[in-house]
Amino acid sequence: MPTVPVYQSDVSLRPIYRQDLEANATPEAFGASVGRGMQSAAAGLDKFADVAAQVKSLEDEAAVRRARNQYIAEADTLKYDPEGGFLQKEGRSAIDAFPEYQRNVGSLRNKVSTAARLTPGQQNMFAKAIDPLEQDSRRQGLMHKGQALKSYIVGDLKSSIQTFGDQAMKNAGSPAMVQKYIAAGQLELRRQAELEGWGGDTLKLQEAGFVSGVHKNITLKIAATDPIAAETYMKANADQMSGADQYELSNSLKTELVQEKSKREAEAILSGGRQPSTSAEPAQPASGRSLGQAGPTRARAFLQSVSNKGPASVDNLDDSFATNLAAMMQDAPPEIRKGLGIYSGYRSPQRQAELFGAAVKKYGSVAAARRWVAPPGHSQHNAGHAVDLSYGGQSLSHAPQEVIDWVHENAGKYGLYFPMKHEPWHIEPMGTRGTRAFSSTVAPRNNTIAPRSVAPSFDDIENRLAGIADPDVRDATRKRLYAVMEAQSKAQEQSEKAAKAELWKYIDQGQTPDQVPMEVRQAAGMAAVSAAWSYQETAAKGRAVDSDQTLLYDMRRYAATNPTEFAGYDLNDYRDRLSKEDIKELTGLQTNALSDQRKAKEDGLNITSAFSQADSQLAAVGITTTGKEGSEREAAAKRVAEFQNQLASQLEEFKRQNQNRPPNQLEIQSMINKLLLPVVIKDGPAPSYGSIPNPFSSAVNLFGGSTSNGFLFDAAKRGDDTTVDVVVKYTDIPIDLRRGIAADLENELGRKPSENEVVQRYEDFTLGRDPTPIPSTQVPDDTEGLWPNRALQPLSYIPGKALKWVGQMIDEAGSQETSDKAAAALDTAGSTLNSTIDTLGNAASAVDKGHYLSDLSGFFSKSQAHEEADKKKKR
């Protein structure tokens, strides 16, 4: 650092005179560098101030930009928010929201400025930045309001135009009012044209469209109730309607016009009912009687005209049957009808006897004859409930297939059916025997006049249809007629079904059919009332209705194979033929079919499979209808039904015990095997008469008394005074079960059991009774084969028959009125008894007592065990 010289009084000491000192000072010696440094520092301070100012300016700008961006975002929300933005509103809503929008735009500046905490300088900058934005928002709002106002007015105009059009349609019955409202609508259209800037041509088109549309709508309104009147209105105002509207109306009204015209035509045809037959070429009766000479009714007159038998053949037919049959034949298409006739109608019992006798000679036996001709009194012809149809003078079986198909497919519409497949010509009222599928009696008993039989005939319909010029109307009328007639039939069925339910409601309350209101009885029908009387007659005897086993079996098969169709059957028709329990079961099957068709079909498949599985085994033991006719066939069918019904009950019981699981094939086979176990059914005590009992009944049973062989399923129908004994061969027992029983008995007895002992225990098991005691010491199995027993068997037969005769004598004595006759009968019986006892005593002394008596002891203990088991079952 330079040093400033100090004044010296000694000249020699002055810097100029000194060698070690520089006498000339430089700027730096006097602090020039310091000055320059200070100058640089001052310049630096100036630059710092400029930088600070620039930073401050940038900060202000950034703050203002943030505030402006916030303003823009919130302004956009005010304008474009999907839920509340002003520019999103239309019409009246936009008009009403405009003041609030203006207020929100004006307050948005202060709201954003305050939230951003701007300095006064920044606020000035912010104001300059958003002024154009705010003005733009206000301009947009004002323009949107203007559009909304215009749209609102236009919308209001359109609404007014629509209202005037609606008013014109409401006053369609007053042409003057229609024109008034059309004119009002046209005025509104002209105002709309001003607002929207339409040209003259556009306005003219709009007015023409409005006027045409009003008339079009009026036409459609009229068409809703009267298409024909609508067509008339359209034609009357065609000059005010556009071609497009007329074309559209013509197409849309066409269907309605056809339907309305067909409806009126059909009503006219149906109101006329069935007219007298006017068949041009009826088959001429062999009797020579003309159409007007037959029977007291038009139906019989027609039938006589197509019959080749005498008047009685038709005149003695049941009234309803004759009416329905005549109607069906009259309704056949001409090419079918012209050949249809009656080959045989009513037959007297004498004539039936002649035919049956001739059939016996022709076919060689009564059984063979019954296949084709019923014995006297057993034919529906004798009751006037059957007719054999012909075609071209020969049996219907010789007719073309289309003829046979037509009568078979249409018979049901007239309450008729063909009950026998082997006689396709034989027709009866529905329910005399059953249905085609189930020929045992599933069809309800009913013989009333079918609705179709009183409706216009085929000729009536076709003659009227021929007078309709429009082919579309003609076809629609034909379809409508048959649909209406079908609907009437169903309606009558439903009405009859409801009446039957009401009838049985009274019967279940203990009232007789006579106490049921007459209108209910009439609606239910004669067959239902007759069934109610039969039901009450059975109830009056103190017993419940026993189910017709064949009918019940057919019902179950019907429910299994056609569940939906079966669900439509009225089970009240069978109250006199099925027990309450079986009616309840069948009602459940109907409910299942209606609520769950898939499950109903599965259940049906299970039971039909079980029935089929059993059929082959029933046939193997001789229980089959194959090759049998007449009463023999009916008896066989009944046995099949009894078996299958018991099998069905066991199937249901299995499902109840196994959480609704159906049995498999092996389990079903086990049920079938058990039901087909051979049994012996023995009669119980004979009846007693007052104070004279029959003491020989048990002896009769012991010595050749009344017994019958059968199967375990037959035991269900045995009397209360009978016993059942299973007859099983050792080899009939399944081998695995046979071994299991033998092992159990060996453990129980301490020895190997005999075959008879295994059979005995198996019988106990299958009958569900307590095990019969078996002695630990084995009894020979073949005691019946020992010669003393073989010798005694014929001896026991004769006394057995004698004792049986004694029992009959006592029964006869008990039923005789005089004591003298009774005493004589008892004397005879006593002498016979003494003789019998002597015979038995002599026989017994000649027999080895050990073998025979041990066998008898087993027999008595076995019978006693069975008797105890039967008592348990009865309890």
Side-chain angles (χ1 to χ4, degrees):
M1 179 178 178
T3 302
V4 178
V6 181
Y7 177 76
Q8 297 290 334
S9 60
D10 187 356
V11 178
S12 58
L13 292 176
R14 292 183 182 178
I16 194 173
Y17 299 115
R18 292 184 61 175
Q19 295 269 337
D20 58 338
L21 294 175
E22 178 62 48
N24 296 319
T26 63
E28 283 72 13
F30 283 95
S33 58
V34 173
R36 287 195 300 269
M38 293 179 64
Q39 184 179 6
S40 296
L45 288 174
D46 289 341
K47 290 180 180 180
F48 175 79
D50 292 340
V51 170
Q54 291 177 3
V55 170
K56 181 65 170 66
S57 175
L58 291 173
E59 289 177 346
D60 291 342
E61 182 180 353
V64 170
R65 285 183 179 277
R66 284 195 299 270
R68 185 194 64 176
N69 291 341
Q70 181 64 28
Y71 178 90
I72 292 172
E74 296 197 22
D76 286 346
T77 300
L78 289 176
K79 290 183 286 186
Y80 304 112
D81 183 67
E83 296 183 358
F86 175 70
L87 298 184
Q88 302 298 317
K89 299 181 185 297
E90 299 290 343
R92 187 72 195 181
S93 177
I95 296 171
D96 293 340
F98 181 70
E100 183 181 0
Y101 172 74
Q102 290 287 73
R103 288 194 298 272
N104 290 337
V105 171
S107 63
L108 185 58
R109 177 197 300 261
N110 292 332
K111 176 183 175 184
V112 174
S113 177
T114 301
R117 298 180 180 181
L118 299 179
T119 64
Q122 291 171 347
Q123 290 179 3
N124 291 333
M125 293 172 64
F126 177 69
K128 293 176 181 179
I130 67 167
D131 280 344
L133 297 176
E134 184 175 326
Q135 290 175 7
D136 186 59
S137 294
R138 290 181 183 278
R139 179 183 59 78
Q140 286 180 301
L142 190 59
M143 290 177 62
H144 187 67
K145 177 185 176 183
Q147 288 294 331
L149 281 169
K150 181 178 178 180
S151 298
Y152 174 75
I153 294 172
V154 170
D156 189 60
L157 286 170
K158 290 180 179 178
S159 178
S160 297
I161 294 168
Q162 181 65 42
T163 299
F164 290 136
D166 292 343
Q167 289 298 318
M169 186 171 61
K170 289 179 181 178
N171 292 273
S174 172
M177 294 297 291
V178 170
Q179 291 303 320
K180 173 184 175 181
Y181 285 114
I182 286 177
Q186 288 175 313
L187 288 174
E188 295 291 83
L189 273 171
R190 290 163 190 166
R191 174 57 180 154
Q192 182 181 353
E194 293 176 5
L195 290 174
E196 298 196 285
W198 292 349
D201 292 340
T202 301
L203 176 60
K204 185 176 180 180
L205 288 172
Q206 291 291 332
E207 287 187 11
F210 168 70
V211 174
S212 180
V214 169
H215 288 299
K216 174 185 174 182
N217 290 335
I218 291 175
T219 303
L220 291 174
K221 178 186 177 183
I222 298 173
T225 54
D226 191 348
I228 297 176
E231 183 184 36
T232 302
Y233 180 88
M234 181 182 70
K235 292 178 178 179
N237 294 276
D239 59 332
Q240 299 185 58
M241 299 176 67
S242 68
D245 282 347
Q246 291 186 57
Y247 179 78
E248 183 181 346
L249 277 174
S250 297
N251 286 336
S252 62
L253 284 179
K254 183 176 182 180
T255 301
E256 296 300 325
L257 282 169
V258 168
Q259 293 303 315
E260 180 62 24
K261 290 177 181 178
S262 70
K263 177 181 177 183
R264 295 184 184 186
E265 293 286 356
E267 288 174 350
I269 294 172
L270 289 171
S271 64
R274 183 173 291 266
Q275 303 300 311
S277 175
T278 56
S279 298
E281 299 178 359
Q284 294 301 315
S287 63
R289 286 172 53 164
S290 66
L291 189 65
Q293 293 176 315
T297 66
R298 290 185 307 192
R300 288 199 178 93
F302 171 80
L303 293 178
Q304 189 60 59
S305 74
V306 297
S307 172
N308 63 354
K309 299 295 181 182
S313 176
V314 169
D315 291 349
N316 289 322
L317 291 177
D318 175 82
D319 286 342
S320 298
F321 176 47
T323 300
N324 291 334
L325 179 61
M328 184 194 76
M329 297 176 73
Q330 290 169 355
D331 291 347
E335 63 275 12
I336 293 177
R337 186 194 328 150
K338 66 182 181 182
L340 282 178
I342 293 179
Y343 194 77
S344 178
Y346 169 79
R347 299 177 196 152
S348 66
Q350 294 78 11
R351 177 56 179 161
Q352 190 70 28
E354 293 174 4
L355 294 174
F356 186 69
V360 172
K361 291 181 180 179
K362 178 179 179 179
Y363 297 108
S365 68
V366 171
R370 287 180 69 104
R371 176 173 172 80
W372 302 104
V373 181
H378 293 272
S379 172
Q380 295 294 335
H381 286 280
N382 302 154
H385 286 158
V387 158
D388 292 340
L389 295 178
S390 65
Y391 186 81
Q394 293 184 311
S395 169
L396 186 67
S397 60
H398 298 289
Q401 189 60 44
E402 58 268 21
V403 175
I404 298 174
D405 290 343
W406 189 92
V407 293
H408 279 253
E409 290 170 2
N410 288 274
K413 298 177 182 177
Y414 302 85
L416 309 173
Y417 82 125
F418 293 83
M420 298 179 288
K421 291 183 179 180
H422 63 283
E423 290 190 12
W425 57 83
H426 183 95
I427 191 169
E428 298 179 5
M430 184 73 77
T432 50
R433 304 170 189 250
T435 65
R436 186 185 304 179
F438 303 100
S439 58
S440 320
T441 49
V442 170
R445 296 170 180 167
N446 195 16
N447 185 23
T448 58
I449 296 176
R452 184 67 187 87
S453 298
V454 295
S457 68
F458 179 89
D459 284 345
D460 297 335
I461 293 172
E462 290 303 318
N463 290 337
R464 290 294 298 271
L465 290 176
I468 301 175
D470 188 333
D472 292 332
V473 175
R474 188 187 316 122
D475 291 342
T477 303
R478 179 182 287 106
K479 292 176 182 177
R480 181 182 293 274
L481 278 168
Y482 288 107
V484 169
M485 289 188 291
E486 182 70 19
Q488 288 176 344
S489 297
K490 291 183 178 180
Q492 180 172 338
E493 289 177 7
Q494 291 301 316
S495 175
E496 185 176 311
K497 187 174 182 179
K500 289 176 184 176
E502 189 70 13
L503 167 69
W504 284 103
K505 188 183 296 183
Y506 283 101
I507 300 302
D508 290 338
Q509 292 172 355
Q511 300 187 42
T512 67
D514 284 342
Q515 295 172 311
V516 177
M518 184 176 64
E519 61 272 15
V520 175
R521 284 180 289 163
Q522 289 177 339
M526 185 184 303
V529 175
S530 176
W533 276 117
S534 299
Y535 178 85
Q536 285 221 326
E537 182 180 356
T538 301
K541 295 178 182 178
R543 55 188 178 86
V545 173
D546 292 328
S547 288
D548 179 333
Q549 291 296 311
T550 307
L551 169 63
L552 178 59
Y553 174 45
D554 282 347
M555 281 285 195
R556 281 172 164 153
R557 286 195 298 149
Y558 195 15
T561 55
N562 300 286
T564 303
E565 191 174 322
F566 173 74
Y569 265 72
D570 185 0
L571 295 179
N572 281 321
D573 288 330
Y574 310 94
R575 288 282 297 271
D576 63 328
R577 301 155 69 192
L578 294 172
S579 68
K580 287 185 176 180
E581 294 75 14
D582 290 332
I583 289 282
K584 183 178 180 181
E585 176 200 336
L586 295 174
T587 301
L589 295 178
Q590 288 184 325
T591 302
N592 292 340
L594 293 172
S595 60
D596 191 343
Q597 291 188 10
R598 182 188 61 78
K599 185 176 184 303
K601 289 180 179 179
E602 288 180 358
D603 292 344
L605 182 60
N606 290 335
I607 195 167
T608 52
S609 297
F611 286 162
S612 298
Q613 188 174 338
D615 279 339
S616 58
Q617 297 187 54
L618 288 173
V621 296
I623 304 176
T624 178
T625 58
T626 303
K628 299 176 182 177
E629 298 296 337
S631 58
E632 185 183 4
R633 181 182 181 87
E634 291 179 4
K638 183 177 180 181
R639 287 200 77 193
V640 171
E642 289 169 346
F643 177 91
Q644 300 286 32
N645 286 332
Q646 289 192 47
L647 178 60
S649 298
Q650 290 198 13
L651 294 173
E652 285 303 310
E653 181 61 27
F654 181 93
K655 289 171 65 176
R656 280 192 292 271
Q657 295 179 0
N658 293 273
Q659 300 179 344
N660 211 35
R661 178 182 72 82
N664 57 38
Q665 190 173 7
L666 291 177
E667 290 163 336
I668 293 173
Q669 187 60 54
S670 176
M671 298 176 192
I672 294 173
N673 291 343
K674 181 176 179 180
L675 290 173
L676 288 179
L677 282 174
V679 298
V680 174
I681 301 175
K682 300 180 181 180
D683 289 342
S688 61
Y689 302 93
S691 60
I692 308 177
N694 190 338
F696 301 100
S697 59
S698 60
V700 170
N701 289 337
L702 177 60
F703 296 101
S706 176
T707 62
S708 60
N709 296 325
F711 299 96
L712 188 59
F713 78 90
D714 291 316
K717 59 183 179 181
R718 65 187 176 88
D720 292 338
D721 57 347
T722 60
T723 59
V724 177
D725 193 10
V726 176
V727 179
V728 180
K729 295 181 180 179
Y730 180 77
T731 54
D732 290 338
I733 304 174
I735 187 168
D736 55 341
L737 188 57
R738 193 164 65 205
R739 290 173 178 172
I741 294 174
D744 290 343
L745 283 175
E746 186 171 356
N747 291 333
E748 177 184 333
L749 303 174
R751 60 176 174 82
K752 288 187 176 181
S754 67
E755 291 184 357
N756 282 356
E757 289 168 340
V758 172
V759 170
Q760 175 66 60
R761 185 56 55 89
Y762 178 71
E763 291 176 358
D764 294 339
F765 166 72
T766 55
L767 289 175
R769 65 192 182 194
D770 294 335
T772 301
I774 297 176
S776 56
T777 302
Q778 185 171 354
V779 177
D781 288 342
D782 59 346
T783 52
E784 291 185 5
L786 298 178
W787 72 265
N789 294 334
R790 290 200 304 272
L792 183 59
Q793 287 173 0
L795 295 178
S796 68
Y797 174 77
I798 296 172
K801 290 297 182 182
L803 288 174
K804 182 177 181 180
W805 177 79
V806 170
Q808 291 174 348
M809 291 291 294
I810 294 176
D811 289 346
E812 182 180 352
S815 62
Q816 290 173 350
E817 297 179 358
T818 63
S819 59
D820 291 340
K821 291 182 179 180
L826 289 173
D827 288 341
T828 304
S831 62
T832 303
L833 177 61
N834 289 332
S835 176
T836 300
I837 292 173
D838 291 341
T839 301
L840 289 174
N842 294 333
S845 63
V847 176
D848 181 356
K849 296 181 181 179
H851 292 299
Y852 186 74
L853 291 181
S854 65
D855 199 27
L856 279 182
S857 175
F859 173 82
F860 284 119
S861 64
K862 183 176 180 182
S863 298
Q864 183 178 6
H866 288 181
E867 184 176 354
E868 290 297 325
D870 287 340
K871 288 181 180 179
K872 287 184 179 180
K873 289 182 179 178
K874 291 177 183 177
R875 287 198 294 268

